Amino acid sequence: SMTSELKVDKITPASGTNTQIGEAGDTTNLSAGTVTLPTTIITGQTEKTTLVDADKFLISDSAASGAFKYVQKSNLPSGGLVPIAQVDSGGNVGAVVLDNAFTATYTNYLVIVDKCIPASGGASIYMQFRDESGGLGGSDYGYSNRALLASNGTEDNSDGDGQTQFKFASGGIGNLSNKLGMRMAIHVQDPYTSSVYTGYHGTYGYINNSGYAVHGYLGGLYAQNDSIRGLQLYLNTGGNLNARIKSYGIVDS
């Protein structure tokens, strides 16, 4: 074998735009110095906007003296909220329906109601779950909620067993649009799984018809093995309401 050392300031391709260093199977060692690479090595490539588990990232492993290794997307920690469905009634309707809110993908869900305004103040808001055929109105709702009026400490509680719906409030919700009516965050467990009951619990708040701020917590159980796909909000008075609802799947790991 023969070895030699070549010292030059610049290597220019004889023709074209490519310069080859070494042959197939050779190892080119650049570790003795600093290698400056153009940023276009990354920025000049095609962007991939949706990752899959087999996609790989190059890393320097601090636990192995900075050795190069790759990590797959499937190795990365995951978790968080995935938007599933949302509905905005855009005005007063008899019921606000959110279908396809729950799927077979997730076990746990977060449902946000960030606007729920009765057309006329003083009503209570009901909720029913839905399957592929519509609202589930059997006597299968057991629940309780407790709220305190912030200004005068008066309790505003509601509970029931064997009910045909869940009732959010008994004191009456105000209809001032700048207050956005009732707001609520509720966790729902196992809605889509038809082999178990569906649990739900969360917090809510509103300005009542007397102008007092009300905030409280709630919990309940839908005691039937239905495959729940969504939910709907409506008033106990049968009147109209304006609401916006969103559901998110919770990534477990």
Side-chain angles (χ1 to χ4, degrees):
S1 63
M2 182 178 68
T3 61
S4 62
E5 182 178 358
L6 177 64
K7 293 184 178 182
V8 296
D9 293 326
K10 182 179 181 180
I11 299 175
T12 303
S15 63
T17 58
N18 296 318
T19 298
Q20 176 180 319
I21 300 177
E23 300 290 347
D26 292 345
T27 298
T28 302
N29 188 349
L30 302 176
S31 62
T34 299
V35 179
T36 301
L37 300 174
T39 58
T40 52
I41 286 181
I42 295 176
T43 60
Q45 307 308 311
T46 301
E47 180 182 5
K48 185 176 185 182
T49 57
T50 302
L51 299 178
V52 298
D53 283 345
D55 287 344
K56 297 174 177 58
F57 307 85
L58 183 64
I59 67 166
S60 173
D61 188 352
S62 61
S65 302
F68 285 135
K69 294 183 181 180
Y70 72 78
V71 173
Q72 291 196 159
K73 177 182 178 293
S74 59
N75 303 136
L76 298 177
S78 61
L81 301 178
V82 179
I84 302 297
Q86 67 177 27
V87 62
D88 188 338
S89 67
N92 290 320
V93 296
V96 180
V97 175
L98 182 67
D99 280 329
N100 302 311
F102 312 119
T103 72
T105 303
Y106 306 102
T107 301
N108 300 293
Y109 294 83
L110 175 64
V111 175
I112 301 291
V113 177
D114 57 14
K115 176 181 71 175
C116 188
I117 308 168
S120 298
S124 295
I125 293 177
Y126 286 164
M127 180 184 77
Q128 279 185 341
F129 288 120
R130 294 171 59 86
D131 64 9
E132 67 277 7
S133 300
L136 295 168
S139 300
D140 299 305
Y141 295 85
Y143 66 88
S144 63
N145 58 58
R146 182 175 187 269
L148 292 175
L149 301 183
S151 300
N152 61 6
T154 303
E155 293 186 8
D156 181 12
N157 304 325
S158 180
D159 58 77
D161 188 36
Q163 302 296 301
T164 58
Q165 70 277 309
F166 177 88
K167 183 179 181 181
F168 275 107
S170 58
I173 296 172
N175 68 327
L176 297 176
S177 59
N178 64 318
K179 302 297 191 296
L180 293 181
M182 184 193 73
R183 291 173 166 179
M184 180 269 290
I186 183 171
H187 287 89
V188 182
Q189 294 84 32
D190 294 300
Y192 200 88
T193 306
S194 60
S195 60
V196 297
Y197 291 175
T198 296
Y200 50 95
H201 63 276
T203 58
Y204 68 107
Y206 59 93
I207 305 297
N208 73 2
N209 208 39
S210 299
Y212 292 112
V214 183
H215 295 88
Y217 53 88
L218 61 93
L221 185 71
Y222 180 74
Q224 193 60 258
N225 294 345
D226 284 300
S227 181
I228 294 173
R229 311 296 178 87
L231 55 89
Q232 59 191 23
L233 300 179
Y234 54 99
L235 302 182
N236 65 319
T237 60
N240 293 333
L241 75 166
N242 181 356
R244 182 169 55 230
I245 316 170
K246 304 174 183 178
S247 70
Y248 300 84
I250 300 175
V251 180
D252 294 325
S253 62

